Amino acid sequence: MTRRFISTRKFDKQFKSLDKKTQKQSSKAIELFMKDPTHPSLRFKRIQGTDNFFEISVNMSIRIVIETTKSDNVQINTLFIIGKHEDVFPPK
């Protein structure tokens, strides 16, 4: 299966607003996700109550939400949102 990676405009804007250190950590996490999405340091997991949304951890406070869809023999991974855990998953 071929895997493709894209990002939303919102993700790009949020990424650019991060400090340089967090941008670097985020880039490393994204690269690792592209190579090995099951790497333990990413803490990759499905977001409860969804079918296509997953989260990975950049560090103890930053999360990336990824939407994964499949079409034919292609898996599309959309980098959807990046931010602090409490901003990405606000309390109900």
Side-chain angles (χ1 to χ4, degrees), residues 1-90:
M1 175 177 295
T2 304
R3 296 172 67 217
R4 293 186 54 219
F5 299 88
I6 58 175
S7 62
T8 63
R9 279 190 244 161
K10 182 175 185 173
F11 177 90
D12 294 340
K13 184 177 178 181
Q14 291 170 327
F15 181 86
K16 289 177 185 174
S17 72
L18 299 171
D19 62 77
K20 294 295 180 194
K21 179 182 176 185
T22 307
Q23 283 183 2
K24 189 173 182 176
Q25 290 174 332
S26 300
S27 293
K28 283 186 175 185
I30 292 166
E31 287 177 29
L32 183 57
F33 175 74
M34 292 169 83
K35 291 177 186 173
D36 180 10
T38 61
H39 193 280
S41 69
L42 296 174
R43 297 185 294 281
F44 177 76
K45 64 181 178 180
R46 183 182 311 274
I47 296 175
Q48 187 175 1
T50 71
D51 291 329
N52 299 345
F53 287 92
F54 299 84
E55 71 171 288
I56 62 172
S57 296
V58 172
N59 56 36
M60 292 307 288
S61 63
I62 302 294
R63 301 292 183 271
I64 297 175
V65 174
I66 300 164
E67 180 184 28
T68 301
T69 56
K70 293 179 183 171
S71 176
D72 296 322
N73 206 22
V74 178
Q75 180 186 42
I76 300 171
N77 298 279
T78 305
L79 303 172
F80 208 73
I81 301 171
I82 186 171
K84 291 185 178 181
H85 186 274
E86 59 269 16
D87 295 335
V88 173
F89 302 107

